[in-house]
Amino acid sequence: MADAQAIHLNQDTFQATIDEAGEKPVFVDFYADWCGPCQMAAPVVEELAGDYADKAVIAKVNVDENQELAQQYQVVSIPTAVIIKNGEPVDRMTGFSGKDGFTKLIDKALEA
């Protein structure tokens, strides 16, 4: 299912998506449109949505539009990727470390 896309979440849809994921890890990319590293990460995040279509939920949150969520997850610099599993944040990565970094983060959550 390579045509899967990252889900864009906001304050209204975030918790329901986390709840529906259940055992599946949720990879959340906190980003902003004006952020250079975020723009470099964007196509990689979309690629991950296809790669992990049946195994994980790949989502994005625009921090400018969803400041409460950014504060709730203590996002102080972007991009920040947070892995949420069973409703709890279990891992995070700040900055863009390429596809390998994101893949390792998701794979670690899948193995846990």
Side-chain angles (χ1 to χ4, degrees):
M1 198 166 138
D3 60 349
Q5 290 186 308
I7 306 166
H8 288 259
L9 300 178
N10 60 37
Q11 197 68 43
D12 299 330
T13 58
F14 190 87
Q15 194 57 52
T17 301
I18 299 302
D19 293 344
E20 287 168 17
E23 296 277 316
K24 277 187 189 177
V26 182
F27 173 96
V28 184
D29 171 33
F30 287 90
Y31 77 100
D33 292 333
W34 49 263
C35 160
C38 300
Q39 291 169 1
M40 291 189 317
V44 173
V45 172
E46 292 299 335
E47 202 177 314
L48 292 172
D51 294 350
Y52 290 93
D54 299 325
K55 296 179 251 170
V57 176
I58 309 299
K60 297 173 70 77
V61 172
N62 184 320
V63 296
D64 289 335
E65 297 169 4
N66 299 282
Q67 293 177 357
E68 287 177 26
L69 283 173
Q71 288 174 345
Q72 181 180 342
Y73 286 90
Q74 298 164 348
V75 174
V76 289
S77 103
I78 51 174
T80 291
V82 177
I83 298 280
I84 301 168
K85 195 167 181 182
N86 297 317
E88 296 295 321
V90 294
D91 210 348
R92 68 172 38 226
M93 174 185 291
T94 301
F96 177 53
S97 60
K99 186 174 181 181
D100 283 350
F102 286 169
T103 301
K104 284 179 185 154
L105 203 62
I106 298 167
D107 288 345
K108 184 174 157 189
L110 285 168
E111 292 164 10

